[in-house]
Amino acid sequence: MILDAGQGHRATWQSETGKTEEHKTIQHSQPEKTRLSSVITALGLIAALFTMLSFWKRRHAA
């Protein structure tokens, strides 16, 4: 069997029964709303990190 999980992630394995089966591909798709919220969350975390870094640098520069 082949598992295609998206973003370059792929796994293959064979069953232990020894029977030859046709290869089945399983697609895993993430809903668009979940991807968009993940991107927005990541951008917010990056902005918060740079804001804290600028405050820390400004305070310790004097």
Side-chain angles (χ1 to χ4, degrees), residues 43-57:
L43 290 175
L45 288 172
I46 291 170
L49 177 70
F50 277 104
T51 302
M52 289 188 309
L53 181 64
S54 69
F55 282 131
W56 184 79
K57 284 182 76 173

Side-chain angles (χ1 to χ4, degrees), residues 8-44:
H9 299 282
R10 185 177 178 160
T12 59
W13 67 93
Q14 294 179 351
S15 64
E16 295 180 14
T17 60
K19 298 179 183 176
T20 57
E21 298 178 11
E22 65 181 59
H23 292 285
K24 298 176 185 176
T25 302
I26 303 169
Q27 293 288 337
H28 174 73
S29 61
Q30 194 174 21
E32 189 67 32
K33 185 177 179 182
T34 304
R35 269 190 237 160
L36 180 61
S37 66
S38 296
V39 169
I40 291 172
T41 302
L43 290 175

